[in-house]
Amino acid sequence: MSKFNCYILLTWGPRHGYKTKEHPAAQAQLRNIAAVIRGGFQQSRVVIAASDYTRKIHGPEDLPGLFHYLSTARLREAGTGLVMEDFNRIFRACTPEGKRFVLEALMEYGDLLTDLRTKMRLEQFGRSAISRLVREDMKPLNLARRPHPGSPESRRNQTARARDRSRAARKAHSDKLMRDLLALRDELEGEQGKVTIDDLVDHANRAGLRNARGGPLTYPTVARALRRGKGGAPMG
């Protein structure tokens, strides 16, 4: 499986409280990167190798994650370049003075930086392409279609998530019921000896234990819960 090291630049949203890959400002970039890379490499893995958070870029010092990666990459083996979905994203966040400083610093690593908008390394950019890259505020990329809230795809995703939550809730209830029934059985056996499932059903309902729908427990429900429990073989 191919691995692609990517760079994520965050320029809005909360600074703390999110992992980079979960940050709202990173989601569109990651979707774009995945759409381009997996279009040509089906068996591929996208890895966030470097990231920065900054509202305004005055120079390379505002991109410590990027330049730390690039400087150390020189000491590594080949194939440690960095992919960014849109170089223009950096310059859109630069001050007018900062654009020149950042461009000069990036050009030193032009062989390591690949722009997915153009599918070119920075060192391959001609003079006109660099001028446009630095001077123009290009429209942000939107290569990966995000499902519309009311689309069939969105509804299927919502249904799947709801099904998963429901399954998890049922399992959590079944696990707790199993533990409660085993504890109640042990308590009753300590008081009166042998306990049948019928006895346990009666005591469990009087103790307020309920099935997943909130109704009273029945013989099959209790027997099934006991079979799931350690040492919980059905009783007579």
Side-chain angles (χ1 to χ4, degrees):
M1 176 179 290
S2 302
K3 183 179 79 168
F4 290 86
N5 293 327
C6 71
Y7 172 68
I8 299 296
L9 175 61
L10 308 175
T11 58
W12 59 270
R15 181 181 292 272
H16 306 292
Y18 285 92
K19 295 180 179 179
T20 300
K21 66 180 180 180
E22 298 170 355
H23 195 288
Q27 294 299 301
Q29 296 176 60
L30 290 170
R31 286 195 298 271
N32 285 332
I33 291 170
V36 173
I37 289 177
R38 290 171 186 163
F41 301 88
Q42 292 298 317
Q43 297 297 321
S44 61
R45 182 165 63 98
V46 176
V47 176
I48 300 177
S51 65
D52 287 301
Y53 183 103
T54 180
R55 296 297 181 97
K56 189 61 67 176
I57 302 171
H58 301 86
E61 66 277 4
D62 291 319
L63 303 171
L66 174 59
F67 284 100
H68 173 74
Y69 180 93
L70 293 173
S71 62
T72 56
R74 289 293 188 205
L75 304 177
R76 303 174 190 158
E77 298 177 358
T80 57
L82 207 55
V83 170
M84 186 173 182
E85 50 106 39
D86 181 12
F87 285 166
N88 187 246
R89 182 180 295 277
I90 292 177
F91 295 99
R92 290 199 298 269
C94 281
T95 63
E97 299 81 9
K99 290 182 177 183
R100 178 170 62 86
F101 300 134
V102 171
L103 178 61
E104 290 176 353
L106 289 176
M107 291 304 293
E108 295 183 21
Y109 304 100
D111 59 315
L112 295 176
L113 289 164
T114 300
D115 172 51
L116 290 187
R117 180 190 284 273
T118 60
K119 300 182 179 65
M120 294 168 55
R121 292 192 304 276
L122 183 58
E123 67 176 1
Q124 297 173 304
F125 277 51
R127 181 174 299 179
S128 61
I130 288 178
S131 177
R132 183 168 181 258
L133 173 69
V134 174
R135 297 177 183 276
E136 295 185 21
D137 285 345
M138 301 177 189
K139 184 178 180 181
L141 292 178
N142 186 20
L143 301 176
R145 181 179 62 84
R146 191 173 186 177
H148 186 276
S151 68
E153 182 181 355
S154 178
R155 289 195 295 271
R156 285 194 297 272
N157 291 341
Q158 292 174 1
T159 299
R161 288 194 295 269
R163 188 183 302 116
D164 290 341
R165 288 194 295 268
S166 177
R167 186 181 300 114
R170 290 197 303 272
K171 183 178 185 305
H173 180 275
S174 296
D175 290 345
K176 184 177 184 305
L177 179 62
M178 175 192 70
R179 293 192 298 269
D180 290 344
L181 286 171
L182 289 174
L184 180 59
R185 184 192 65 177
D186 292 344
E187 179 182 343
L188 293 173
E189 287 181 341
E191 294 176 355
Q192 62 187 54
K194 182 178 176 59
V195 177
T196 66
I197 291 182
D198 286 326
D199 291 335
L200 191 55
V201 170
D202 181 55
H203 281 84
N205 282 323
R206 281 191 285 164
L209 299 184
R210 292 294 182 263
N211 62 27
R213 297 178 181 273
L217 299 179
T218 61
Y219 186 105
T221 301
V222 172
R224 186 163 54 248
L226 291 176
R227 282 196 297 270
R228 294 182 63 239
K230 184 178 180 180
M235 299 173 289

